[in-house]
Amino acid sequence: MTTTASPDGTPEPRPDDDGGAPAEPTGQHADADGDTPPPPADPPPPADGGGRPDERFEALVSDVLGVDPDASRRKKLRWLSVKAAVGLLGVLGAVWVAYFMIEPSTVRENETNTGIDAAKTPFTVSVRPEEGAPSTWAMVLDRKLTADETRRLTTGDPGSAFSYLRELGGRPLVYASVMEHAPDRYERNTRDGRLELTDAFKMTVLSTRSSAVVIDGWKTTDITCHKSTMQTVVALPPQGGATYQGIRLHLPPRADEPVLTDDAEGQGESYFGTHYIEVGGGQPSGGLRVEAIAPPGQACEWGIKVHYNDSYQKGEWLQLKDAKGKPLRIRTESVPADLQQKWVFGSVAWTPCHKNPEGSLCDLV
């Protein structure tokens, strides 16, 4: 295209030589290289569809409730109310069922626990001799002491005599409790001019039951005795009367035995006439110290039956057993009159009563 000047001097466009018309202005400018840029693209629609917030919420509610999005707002609200009512009734129904099932379920659980508890062994019993050196004692052996053993015993520390004799195979006996407050009838039965020696042991009763078990009776069973084989006794007699808490019985038992030995009201009376042993129900253990006295010059073995009652209205006599499940057997021995050796010491120097029967304290063995 070329331009010509108008009469007033303003240039005017005129057709090119090829006769083309002048180009319409486009408002675009060519790039430096002469290319024309493409027109701008339309902006993308909004991600939320461009609807109003309340319209979007209604669409979401319709989708959750399964209602036609084009339904009226009243219908949507009514359907929402129905849904809420159904959900509430479901919750109330579950609560109602759970409430009315609590008692039967609790009863069944209690019955199950009761059955398990009742099936347990009511209790177990263990027996062991008293441990350690008591304040007064007698040690018995089935043989005589040798000259060397006698020399070591009588010249050594008196406090170590108990341990030394145990090393030699001695079996300990203890002096029975003095029954100063026992009834006259009991004293007449036991007074023979000598202090009685006894096999003392601890009886421990254990129970894992959650309900209480009460032992309220005792019987000795299957007593077998034979002549004692002991030949030597070494004794530390008491300086005065001593009393121990527990029970005492003779073999065979005398009337009302075992009797209470405590230095209190009821001493010498039948123990199970006024007392009992309770275990289980939060008290897992109980026990007694037992003084058992064999006939003079006899060694005896015997068993025990106890009577018990429990919370399940069950009561019976039960034979006590050892850890191996066999009937429990307890050994009880007394000092024979024809000993080969008899030694006493304590408040006096070592005294061989087998050589000097009139020696001090010799009548206490």
Side-chain angles (χ1 to χ4, degrees):
M1 176 186 295
T2 60
T3 60
T4 59
S6 62
D8 55 4
T10 302
E12 292 182 353
R14 63 183 182 86
D16 291 334
D17 294 339
D18 57 2
E24 294 287 339
T26 64
Q28 300 174 355
H29 301 280
D31 294 336
D33 56 0
D35 294 331
T36 302
D42 294 335
D48 57 4
R52 297 192 306 277
D54 56 345
E55 291 177 347
R56 294 196 300 273
F57 177 74
E58 289 183 9
L60 178 62
V61 171
S62 299
D63 183 58
V64 171
L65 298 179
V67 183
D68 185 0
D70 296 330
S72 64
R73 177 170 295 183
R74 178 178 296 179
K75 182 176 181 181
K76 293 177 181 179
L77 291 176
R78 185 166 59 248
W79 186 245
L80 177 62
S81 300
V82 170
K83 284 275 190 178
V86 170
L88 180 60
L89 289 175
V91 172
L92 292 176
V95 172
W96 182 85
V97 170
Y99 176 79
F100 283 98
M101 288 300 291
I102 286 176
E103 184 174 356
S105 176
T106 302
V107 170
R108 288 195 300 270
E109 182 178 357
N110 289 340
E111 290 176 347
T112 299
N113 292 337
T114 298
I116 294 173
D117 193 52
K120 292 180 180 178
T121 301
F123 55 84
T124 58
V125 174
S126 63
V127 170
R128 59 179 176 82
E130 287 190 312
E131 296 178 353
S135 57
T136 62
W137 51 266
M139 191 73 73
V140 295
L141 296 93
D142 290 335
R143 61 177 180 84
K144 295 193 301 182
L145 295 175
T146 66
D148 184 61
E149 291 169 343
T150 299
R151 184 169 50 256
R152 179 176 173 184
L153 176 67
T154 57
T155 59
D157 177 14
S160 63
F162 186 89
S163 299
Y164 177 61
L165 290 168
R166 287 294 296 265
E167 292 176 5
L168 297 179
R171 300 187 300 276
L173 301 177
V174 297
Y175 283 89
S177 297
V178 174
M179 308 281 280
E180 293 181 347
H181 306 296
D184 288 343
R185 59 178 173 77
Y186 189 79
E187 284 296 303
R188 284 195 300 270
N189 285 337
T190 58
R191 186 184 295 118
D192 60 1
R194 292 176 180 270
L195 293 177
E196 291 182 297
L197 284 164
T198 172
D199 260 312
F201 60 88
K202 296 287 185 66
M203 186 178 78
T204 303
V205 185
L206 304 173
S207 178
T208 59
R209 283 196 178 183
S210 59
S211 58
V213 179
V214 173
I215 298 174
D216 56 6
W218 169 302
K219 291 180 181 178
T220 58
T221 62
D222 303 322
I223 301 174
T224 59
C225 297
H226 57 82
K227 184 178 179 180
S228 173
T229 58
M230 72 174 64
Q231 297 184 33
T232 300
V233 61
V234 180
L236 174 62
Q239 303 303 307
T243 300
Y244 301 92
Q245 292 185 338
I247 61 176
R248 176 196 294 181
L249 75 156
H250 291 77
L251 299 175
R254 298 171 180 175
D256 298 327
E257 288 188 333
V259 298
L260 182 69
T261 59
D262 297 15
D263 187 13
E265 183 179 356
Q267 185 185 66
E269 297 288 351
S270 174
Y271 178 83
F272 287 103
T274 55
H275 295 71
Y276 56 83
I277 303 171
E278 182 177 353
V279 291
Q283 185 170 326
S285 65
L288 284 174
R289 179 184 184 272
V290 182
E291 295 179 356
I293 303 173
Q298 298 286 302
C300 302
E301 290 190 353
W302 52 287
I304 304 174
K305 271 187 178 181
V306 295
H307 186 271
Y308 78 93
N309 285 288
D310 61 19
S311 301
Y312 308 112
Q313 305 302 314
K314 183 179 180 180
E316 63 178 345
W317 288 95
L318 186 67
Q319 179 75 46
L320 299 186
K321 297 182 178 180
D322 59 21
K324 297 180 180 179
K326 297 181 179 180
L328 180 67
R329 301 297 290 169
I330 301 169
R331 178 186 172 91
T332 300
E333 194 166 12
S334 69
V335 177
D338 55 347
L339 290 168
Q340 298 295 313
Q341 292 180 341
K342 182 165 65 172
W343 293 87
V344 295
F345 75 105
S347 60
V348 297
W350 285 96
T351 303
C353 296
H354 53 285
K355 295 181 180 180
N356 181 17
E358 302 300 325
S360 180
L361 302 184
C362 287
D363 61 343
L364 297 181
V365 179

